[in-house]
Amino acid sequence: TAHGAAVLRVELTGGAAGTSDEAYRLTRTAGGLVLRSAHPAGAATGLYAVADRIRSGDAVLPAGRDGKVNTPRFGLRLLDTGSVGLPDDPAGFAAGDDYSLNTDVVGPAVLAGPPYVDTAAVARIAAQFRQLVDRGLAEGYNGVVVPGFLEYVTFAGIGDGHQVYPAGDGHIARAKAMVAAFGPVWRYAHDAGMKVYFATDMLALSPPLQRYLQRRFGGLPTGDARFWTVYQAGLRELFTALPYADGLVIRVGEGGAAYRFPGWDYTSRIAVKTPASVRAMLRALLAVAGEGGRDVVFRTWTIGVGSIGDLHTNPRRYEQVLGDIDDPHLIVSTKYCLGDYYSHLPFNGTLKIGRQRRIVELQARREFEGFGALPNDLTTLHREALRTLLAANPHIEGIWTWSQMGGPLRAGPRTLYLRAGFWQMFDLNVYTAARLAADPDADPARLSADWIRQTFSTDPSTVRAIGGVLALSRQAITKGLYIGPYAQRTVKALGLEPPPMMWIFEWDIVTGDSAVLDSIYAVSRDHLDEAIREGDEATATARRMRDLLATTDPAAWRDPAQRRSFAAALDYEVDLFGTLAAYRTMFLRHAQWLDTGSADARTQWLAARSRYTAARDEHLRRYTGNVDLPPYSFPAADIGLAHAERDLAMARLARGLLVVLVAALALGTSAGQRLLRASARGR
């Protein structure tokens, strides 16, 4: 403990210690500390909490908690699979062109033919998964979501067992091989005390399955309850083959070729696009889940898809689609914000309604905010979100933290959670999200400091300095990567709501599209100086963060290499934000010149153009080829710049032509003709 050694005894009381299996009491006695719980889950929760306090240098028994019941506020605390199964391929990351959205974690073990799986690769994936589970448990998580469904299923429960896959079809042997190879891998989490959920897009398809559905139903009638009997059979088989599975997570809003894993023919299609089809699907799959006391987790992420395209953000659509489904085995999972994981967005109003069990989705490695390469302490934001949503909806019972998930998993910085790169930068958000799920009222600064002590240093001055860096991180991000007067407005275009970061396209492409940039100017026009000033303020904030870190003594860090990585990340942030500040000034002043004809705006645009091109060149020189801190992409911006420079040439030409035209018109007048005759006589 913080004050010396002590004896900790664990007692399973067999009686009610609280309202949850995870409830426990910690009591001080003459012989030391006693942790009592009615259930092993409570004992485990208490032991992990005690271990966390010891690692943080905190009192094991906080003041005022002697003998009190402790219960995590959110009973379900899910984690994604992190970087498990993702290739650590420096050359691939350096190329920066793999924008696949496939999330299959079994890829390195997949073989095209028999025996279908590479056992050595399975062993490597298993080791990565065990590392993730052990870390997740220590940080406070009690569940994991594993991608997969169709690859474990043969549809043997339909007809004679060969209606979908004929006898001898390789899909049968592959599914059996996958169950045999990976079933024990995922079971490790269950045996360690975690819930295990499998996740799939719907419709999940393979060529034989699609042919069978078309033969039997004449197409893909997802609103027909009979259609879903096929997937009911598949889900029963999954739960039989992997009996420890606690449920299935379903997404219907994304799918297609970008999500397909190269090398096999399992695919997904966006085909569940109406309220009727969602309800038919859920009722069918919930019937199977209810047979074994399992859950169906339905994600509301359906942006722009059919008549349910606004399910994620529209409370009225939520009620239309899900309002009459009241099933204890249904959990509805929704991102905390009103859109994707951008800053400047309100909290999601659909999380404030509904009778269903709910969980809140959080992203630790923010895909639109540097992809984990920049300091970005989300603790205060997540605390505010959870407290606000929980106050409005008592049915919220869990979180799902994405430590790696979201966006192209094989592009951007080479930061693989727990495995490669400076992944500690976003482990902060993984850690504090679990702590907030246990206690949404916890002090964010205290949580961040606990993580710093566990991760970097226990030296008080070093902890304070790093804490200061993290406290400034959101200010830098929200000004450096966003243009405030635009980002803070709700903008609609063609019936859609563009995201608040339109000038940087997903995920690191700086746009030069004149329609986009002129729209940003139009929205920001009345606050243009503020919009420009924010870029320089972000750069100055990043410099303050860098200076704070520089005050720390390398010898006070647990690992001096981490200090070097942190310092490099802050150098990168200063450089990036300086480049982006110059670019925003350039395109906003250019738009202002076109709008107003102001000579001052033109002068400022030309100055910013020189500043931008110099900063861009330096940014590319410093970071091209750096897989941990890759440069942002500026070709699109430079195309826009070339167009803008033509605007200048055209403006000069237009002015010249205007002079000629005015002169010609003037010479055509009576006075002009007299002037010409007088000039001729003078010659």
Side-chain angles (χ1 to χ4, degrees), residues 670-683:
S670 299
Q673 291 298 311
R674 288 195 297 273
L675 181 61
L676 283 174
R677 286 194 294 272
S679 176
R681 287 195 297 271
R683 288 196 298 268

Side-chain angles (χ1 to χ4, degrees), residues 416-448:
L416 301 176
Y417 187 57
L418 305 183
R419 293 174 51 209
F422 195 39
W423 53 265
Q424 288 84 358
M425 197 69 82
F426 48 93
D427 178 58
L428 163 67
N429 299 320
V430 180
Y431 171 81
T432 58
R435 290 282 301 270
L436 288 169
D439 179 10
D441 294 326
D443 175 20
R446 175 77 175 267
L447 299 185
S448 296

